């Protein structure tokens, strides 16, 4: 599956700082050094039936920020992202709207690509759909059955045994108790009430073919389609190799998705899924978490259609720390527009700023982002930088020797200040 066009990243004359981030699984900070000059990142993608709301955008901009900081520090970044282009929610939406599920998925995936390109998100090298990965997923499920880590119901559906002894042990990502796991499983795509399962928490690995549903040849599994969690484990192993340095996604993926993916990796490959788990906060609107089920979505495409500068949208997203939960209001767009205008004015007057001072500002930006991707602090540094030029006349002040702050902002934060 094709990705989207990459923005040009300005290079700076000195290397940046390797970041330290909060690891959900370890429940502590962890420095992300990569290995042999390379860092691997896997971020869970969308189920394409309502793309892209601000909650999605906040997550992908956050991990774009991580990739930019890694690259600035001199690492090569191997970035993989999936898209769940066949799943129950997609099929249900297609049936409700009378649109073929493939057409719905294709249209929403393209909309997602357009949104990411507008927001200047660096694309993954591998953007992979579930449909194109079904043979590899079926092989992994068959291997789990062979290892005794999965079982088949009379329906032909295959489930993973969460009781399988693995290292790290089940629960090491979320640290949730069983009651919490049962509640979240029911809320987030699990089926704890399915009869015949050995454990209510056991997740679906392979759904046997049903009339009226798409299915594929699963070899020894019989015709059907993948369950949700196994796809990411298989795609990450194939494209990046496990364990990845960072497994990323929204905090609503900690359980069950990332917990189950980690268990699948440990049982299938006897390796961890990831060295570090990073999760973004939830974005709300009108007093509730922004979600498709609640219908309170603010879509990036709608804002762009209304003429909102995509850099204003990106500024709003970066105004909030990636791990925080926050509420969107239209006033945030107005505030971001004013900030962006001030930064752009300052970028036009950079010739008035001494090279040493510009270097100091860039160093402060790097320090802020190396500290758990503290983008609000970085934007505050830009506000102080822009204040020095508030009374300067508009217009380009001339050539600049050395690194520009505007180039650092573009490279590190993905906010373009100059044409």
């Amino acid at each position: 599956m094709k990705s989207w066009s990459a923005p040009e990243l300005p290079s700076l004359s000195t290397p940046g700082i390797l970041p330290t981030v909060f690891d959900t699984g370890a429940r502590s900070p962890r420095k992300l050094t990569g290995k042999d000059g390379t860092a691997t990142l896997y971020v869970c993608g969308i189920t394409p039936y309502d793309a892209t709301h601000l909650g999605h955008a906040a997550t992908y901009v956050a991990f774009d920020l991580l990739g930019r900081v890694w690259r600035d520090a001199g690492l090569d970044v191997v970035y993989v992202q999936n898209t769940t282009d066949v799943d129950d929610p997609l099929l249900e939406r297609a049936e409700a709207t009378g649109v073929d599920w493939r057409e719905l998925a294709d249209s929403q995936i393209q909309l997602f690509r357009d949104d990411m390109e507008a927001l200047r998100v660096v694309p993954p090298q591998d953007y992979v759909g579930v449909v194109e990965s079904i043979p590899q997923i079926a092989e992994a499920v068959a291997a789990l059955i062979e290892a005794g880590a999965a079982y088949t119901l009379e329906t032909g559906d295959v489930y993973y045994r969460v009781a399988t002894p693995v290292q790290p042990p089940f629960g090491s990502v979320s640290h949730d108790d069983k009651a919490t796991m049962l509640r979240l499983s029911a809320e987030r795509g699990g089926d704890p009430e399915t009869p015949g399962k050995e454990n209510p928490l056991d997740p679906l690995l392979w759904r046997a073919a049903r009339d009226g549903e798409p299915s594929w040849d699963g070899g020894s599994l019989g015709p059907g389609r993948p369950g949700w969690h196994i796809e990411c484990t298989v795609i990450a192993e194939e494209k990046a190799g496990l364990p990845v340095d960072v497994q990323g996604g929204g905090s609503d993926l900690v359980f069950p998705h990332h917990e189950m993916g980690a268990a699948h990796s440990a049982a299938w490959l006897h390796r961890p899924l990831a060295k570090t788990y990073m999760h973004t906060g939830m974005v709300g609107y009108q007093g509730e978490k922004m979600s498709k089920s609640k219908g309170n979505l603010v879509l990036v495409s709608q804002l762009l259609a209304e003429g909102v500068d995509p850099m204003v949208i990106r500024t709003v997203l970066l105004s909030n720390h990636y791990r925080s939960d926050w509420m969107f209001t239209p006033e945030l767009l107005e505030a971001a527009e004013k900030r962006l205008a001030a930064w752009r004015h300052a970028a036009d007057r950079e010739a008035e700023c001494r090279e040493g001072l510009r270097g100091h500002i860039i160093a402060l930006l790097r320090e802020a982002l190396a500290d758990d991707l503290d983008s609000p602090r970085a934007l505050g540094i830009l506000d102080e930088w822009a204040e020095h030029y508030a009374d300067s006349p508009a217009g380009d002040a001339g050539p600049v020797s050395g690194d520009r702050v505007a180039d650092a902002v573009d490279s590190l934060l993905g906010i373009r200040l100059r044409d």
Side-chain angles (χ1 to χ4, degrees):
M1 181 176 292
K2 71 182 181 72
S3 193
W4 55 91
S5 298
E8 183 179 349
L9 271 61
S11 59
L12 303 178
S13 61
T14 59
I17 309 170
L18 289 169
T20 296
V21 303
F22 186 82
D23 181 349
T24 303
R27 296 191 281 191
S28 62
R30 183 186 295 271
K31 190 164 188 176
L32 301 179
T33 59
K35 183 179 179 180
D36 298 329
T38 299
T40 52
L41 171 65
Y42 184 93
V43 180
C44 297
I46 62 167
T47 300
Y49 61 99
D50 263 328
T52 316
H53 62 67
L54 286 181
H56 290 137
T59 291
Y60 300 115
V61 166
F63 289 105
D64 181 56
L65 195 63
L66 171 62
R68 287 169 178 270
V69 172
W70 264 337
R71 292 182 186 93
D72 181 58
L75 296 185
D76 292 327
V77 179
V78 175
Y79 177 22
V80 181
Q81 186 182 138
N82 75 308
T83 185
T84 306
D85 55 355
V86 61
D87 198 22
D88 289 344
L90 171 64
L91 299 178
E92 291 163 4
R93 176 61 62 85
E95 184 177 2
T97 56
V99 177
D100 184 89
W101 66 272
R102 288 157 293 201
E103 293 180 11
L104 177 60
D106 288 346
S107 66
Q108 296 300 298
I109 290 168
Q110 186 56 51
L111 183 57
F112 177 74
R113 292 188 188 105
D114 293 342
D115 292 342
M116 293 298 99
E117 191 167 329
L119 292 174
R120 304 192 76 246
V121 171
V122 178
Q125 289 95 332
D126 289 292
Y127 185 49
V128 186
V130 172
V131 170
E132 63 189 288
S133 307
I134 286 174
Q136 297 93 323
I137 294 171
E139 289 177 9
V141 174
L144 287 169
I145 294 174
E146 180 68 21
Y151 59 95
T152 306
L153 299 185
E154 291 182 0
T155 59
D157 295 341
V158 181
Y159 282 85
Y160 174 77
R161 285 190 174 98
V162 296
T164 303
V166 293
Q167 288 296 328
F170 183 73
S172 297
V173 178
S174 66
H175 304 281
D176 290 333
D177 58 32
K178 186 172 182 180
T180 302
M181 288 180 177
L182 284 168
R183 175 178 59 82
L184 293 177
S185 177
E187 293 174 0
R188 298 174 177 174
D191 57 352
E193 303 300 324
T194 295
K197 289 172 58 174
E198 295 178 0
N199 186 319
L201 290 173
D202 289 349
L204 181 68
L205 291 169
W206 185 260
R207 179 176 169 85
R210 266 77 161 175
D211 290 342
E213 294 186 5
S215 65
W216 290 263
D217 179 10
S220 63
L221 306 178
R225 57 184 169 90
W228 177 26
H229 315 300
I230 187 66
E231 68 186 71
C232 287
T233 305
V234 171
I235 292 170
E237 163 65 7
E238 182 185 12
K239 298 299 184 181
L242 298 181
V244 292
D245 287 300
V246 170
Q247 161 75 79
S251 59
D252 55 347
L253 297 184
V254 177
F255 191 91
H257 189 50
H258 289 167
E259 193 75 75
M260 297 303 180
H264 296 340
S265 177
W268 173 38
L269 301 169
H270 308 291
R271 299 199 301 271
L273 177 66
K275 299 175 185 177
T276 300
Y277 293 88
M278 287 178 62
H279 294 96
T280 57
M282 296 291 99
V283 180
Y285 182 53
Q286 297 174 335
E288 293 187 283
K289 171 195 164 185
M290 196 176 296
S291 69
K292 299 164 187 175
S293 61
K294 296 182 185 297
N296 62 338
L297 302 181
V298 178
L299 300 178
V300 171
S301 56
Q302 289 178 344
L303 294 176
L304 295 174
E306 293 166 5
V308 178
D309 185 335
M311 294 300 92
V312 168
I313 300 171
R314 189 166 175 118
T315 298
V316 169
L317 300 175
L318 294 176
S319 298
N320 300 275
H321 191 270
Y322 79 92
R323 287 197 286 119
S324 66
D325 297 334
W326 55 280
M327 286 284 170
F328 171 78
T329 66
E331 289 74 21
L332 293 177
L333 291 174
E334 297 174 11
E337 187 173 9
K338 292 178 182 178
R339 295 179 91 175
L340 187 61
W343 302 337
R344 284 174 167 163
H345 176 75
D348 287 340
R349 308 302 303 178
E350 279 211 72
E352 299 174 6
C353 183
R354 300 189 314 276
E355 184 175 348
L357 181 56
R358 292 198 307 275
H360 177 64
I361 293 166
I362 293 170
L364 291 176
L365 291 175
R366 282 171 158 166
E367 289 171 8
L369 295 177
D371 182 12
D372 201 19
L373 306 182
D374 194 345
S375 57
R377 183 169 129 207
L379 300 196
I381 292 165
L382 293 183
D383 290 337
E384 294 179 6
W385 167 66
E387 284 181 7
H388 293 290
Y389 307 97
D391 297 327
S392 298
D396 197 325
V400 173
S401 61
D403 291 330
R404 285 182 177 270
V405 174
D407 286 342
V409 173
D410 191 345
S411 180
L412 291 166
L413 292 164
I415 299 174
R416 191 162 182 80
L417 300 182
R418 295 175 61 89
D419 295 330

